[in-house]
Amino acid sequence: MIKIRNLELALNGKKILRDIDLDIPDGKWSCLVGPNGAGKTTLLKVLLGSAPYSGSVRSNDVEVFRNHQRNVAFVPQQPQIPQGISVSEYVMLGRSKKDGWGNESEKSRDFVASILEQTHLYGMQRQLVSHLSGGEMQRTLIARALAQEPELILLDEPTSALDLHHQIEVLNNLQFLQERGVTIISTMHDITLAAMYADRIIVMQDGRVLADGASSEIIHSPELRTAFDNRINVYTLDSGRPVVIARKDEKDEK
């Protein structure tokens, strides 16, 4: 369980996160949704332990800031990739904490090969990461995170550069991890996909949490509409699955 109490964070005198109290359960998929500038990415960095804050953020009763004992994988939107590194080498970095860089075991090499196949990267393992397309890069980032076998995986818009087919593949892979006890916390702009995959949805606006609860409840909540200035509509398909669609302004409909 990650327990967040009285969390606040300011940058250059401007509050980015404020008055956040949350309990994030282990082994579940929690998804942060909200408009741009809501503080979602900053909250991920706090949970990673890389951003200073006031208040308390504790995982297993230990404060997370600069706690290097945790096995946490992070998939950012804009990664910093070392020059001249191949896809297989980059994914293998996920094993460095277990084996040490350059000392990977045969078991780790076999495991990385299975990850490359699982993420449809096996045929391009010798390509330089810097030469990949946006979608291939996203799959490579996620492959490295999977190779790490983390207890917690944090993902900032994991499907943003992917076509629909690869979006579903990536999310299915993450769900496979979650079903085996890995805690997942992600941000997602596609609220329909968030409701399909996440156990819980956390709605953010202006650095605050407006609502937190089961996806099936939050997707129909007034707080979700409030976060998006009441410019979304939620429809329910015959299958019972909700679909979120942006609403056009009246002036756009004329």
Side-chain angles (χ1 to χ4, degrees):
M1 175 79 74
I2 298 175
K3 295 184 178 181
I4 303 174
R5 298 291 182 270
N6 303 315
L7 172 63
E8 295 201 349
L9 185 149
L11 292 175
N12 299 320
K14 179 182 178 181
K15 281 194 176 182
I16 309 299
L17 301 175
R18 61 189 78 202
D19 304 323
I20 294 180
D21 290 280
L22 276 176
D23 288 335
I24 300 178
D26 292 335
K28 301 294 183 182
W29 188 335
S30 299
C31 188
L32 309 174
V33 304
N36 291 337
K40 305 184 297 296
T41 297
T42 302
L43 181 53
L44 280 188
K45 291 179 179 178
V46 167
L47 294 169
L48 179 63
S50 63
Y53 52 84
S54 62
S56 176
V57 182
R58 299 177 70 83
S59 177
N60 297 321
D61 292 325
V62 178
E63 202 71 30
V64 303
F65 183 57
R66 293 182 178 173
N67 179 0
H68 302 297
Q69 302 303 311
R70 304 160 69 216
N71 185 7
V72 181
F74 180 48
V75 180
Q77 281 197 70
Q78 298 178 327
Q80 294 183 340
I81 304 295
Q83 292 296 314
I85 193 168
S86 70
V87 169
S88 61
E89 289 171 333
Y90 185 73
V91 175
M92 189 64 76
L93 286 174
R95 305 300 295 174
S96 60
K97 196 166 185 178
K98 292 181 179 293
D99 298 342
W101 175 240
N103 296 310
E104 297 83 10
S105 65
E106 188 68 29
K107 181 179 178 181
S108 284
R109 287 192 289 271
D110 290 343
F111 183 63
V112 165
S114 71
I115 293 294
L116 290 170
E117 189 168 353
Q118 181 182 342
T119 53
H120 297 277
L121 294 167
Y122 195 80
M124 56 183 70
Q125 65 265 39
R126 292 183 176 85
Q127 289 189 34
L128 294 180
V129 177
S130 57
H131 293 173
L132 298 178
S133 69
E136 292 165 347
M137 171 74 78
Q138 193 80 344
R139 281 151 53 204
T140 302
L141 294 173
I142 290 172
R144 174 184 167 171
L146 296 177
Q148 190 174 327
E149 293 186 284
E151 299 170 0
L152 167 65
I153 182 168
L154 305 169
L155 305 106
D156 196 6
E157 298 295 340
T159 61
S160 61
L162 302 176
D163 59 35
L164 183 59
H165 173 69
H166 284 114
Q167 284 181 25
I168 298 302
E169 278 191 349
V170 163
L171 294 174
N172 283 344
N173 287 337
L174 293 172
Q175 189 174 54
F176 180 83
L177 278 181
Q178 183 260 321
E179 289 171 351
R180 280 150 183 76
V182 177
T183 303
I184 297 175
I185 305 173
S186 67
T187 68
M188 288 181 71
H189 280 305
D190 192 324
I191 306 171
T192 299
L193 286 178
M196 283 175 59
Y197 284 91
D199 300 291
R200 303 181 66 80
I201 289 178
I202 299 166
V203 182
M204 297 186 66
Q205 183 187 45
D206 296 329
R208 291 187 171 89
V209 171
L210 298 187
D212 165 38
S215 298
S216 58
E217 297 175 2
I218 296 299
I219 196 72
H220 298 290
S221 70
E223 289 87 356
L224 181 64
R225 292 174 177 79
T226 296
F228 291 93
D229 297 326
N230 293 308
R231 297 184 65 182
I232 60 172
N233 289 321
V234 181
Y235 300 96
T236 303
L237 303 179
D238 291 341
S239 64
R241 180 168 291 167
V243 176
V244 180
I245 299 176
R247 192 177 69 202
K248 294 174 67 177
D249 287 337
E250 289 183 7
K251 62 181 179 181
D252 295 332
E253 296 174 348
K254 293 179 180 179

